[in-house]
Amino acid sequence: MNANARRRTVLTAGAAGAAALVTGCGSSGDDSGGGDASGTPTASDTASPGTSPDASPGGEELAATGDIPVGGGTIFKEQKVVVTQPEEGEFKAFSAVCTHAQCLVSTVSDGTINCPCHGSKFSITDAAVEAGPATRPLPAEQITVSGGAIRLG
């Protein structure tokens, strides 16, 4: 094999590897991940995986409704979810993974969900980008609000 053929082989393999990495690490942008794309709480008809059939509706309990500040929100790092309460009694949930560089958002303040890595800010109402470098909103997550509890799913 001559030097040009080896170089072509290495470049082709490198490009294929880079494409696989970008595909595996990037956000799909697909809003069909189950749930309401608006982030509005919806009821779940079936128990989530890992819960017993007689468990409360929805999945894992994240918090009590009183634990989420009005005009603010709470980040659940383990579940990679942020729950906000833009107006009293209105709860929204979004992915806590920034759409810019996949960092975990770190704070909710002054009406925005804030990423520490590059300064992106997202609205607590609909996760729209308030300040870049992110260009896409945080994806909505489905939650169920029932009996004073907020559950994932």
Side-chain angles (χ1 to χ4, degrees), residues 60-87:
E60 174 183 4
E61 184 171 333
L62 294 173
T65 55
D67 294 341
I68 309 300
V70 176
T74 301
I75 298 164
F76 299 92
K77 291 181 181 181
E78 187 176 308
Q79 295 84 357
K80 296 182 179 171
V81 171
V82 58
V83 176
T84 65
Q85 187 177 186
E87 309 259 339

Side-chain angles (χ1 to χ4, degrees), residues 37-41 68-75 81-95 105-115 120-131 137-141 143:
S38 70
T40 304
I68 309 300
V70 176
T74 301
I75 298 164
V81 171
V82 58
V83 176
T84 65
Q85 187 177 186
E87 309 259 339
E88 188 163 348
E90 177 188 8
F91 297 93
K92 305 279 187 161
F94 308 101
S95 169
V105 297
S106 63
T107 62
V108 181
S109 61
D110 300 321
T112 60
I113 302 162
N114 310 302
C115 181
S120 292
K121 295 180 181 288
F122 304 89
S123 167
I124 64 168
T125 303
D126 60 3
V129 176
E130 297 279 324
L138 297 173
E141 294 287 339
I143 55 172

Side-chain angles (χ1 to χ4, degrees), residues 134-148:
T135 58
R136 292 174 290 132
L138 297 173
E141 294 287 339
Q142 185 175 351
I143 55 172
T144 303
V145 179
S146 177

